[in-house]
Amino acid sequence: MLIRNSRYNQHVAPGAILIEVGATGNTMPEALRSVEYLANVFEEVFK
């Protein structure tokens, strides 16, 4: 996890968040699998 003080347009809307998935060392299937796990977490949190 990398946390920075940069805004990346997150100031445009209250509660905005930027989530990047994958990197140059990941395959597309790995990144897609990560997004599935993230979606499951969001589903539980925002019920």
Side-chain angles (χ1 to χ4, degrees):
M1 182 184 297
L2 179 62
I3 299 174
R4 296 183 179 177
N5 288 332
S6 302
R7 294 194 316 181
Y8 299 103
N9 293 328
Q10 294 167 338
H11 64 288
V12 174
I17 187 170
L18 172 68
I19 299 174
E20 295 182 354
V21 178
T24 57
N26 295 108
T27 64
M28 181 61 79
E30 290 171 337
L32 293 173
R33 189 167 48 245
S34 296
V35 170
E36 287 181 33
Y37 295 138
L38 181 61
N40 291 336
V41 170
F42 281 163
E43 180 181 25
E44 289 297 315
V45 169
F46 295 110
K47 276 187 177 180

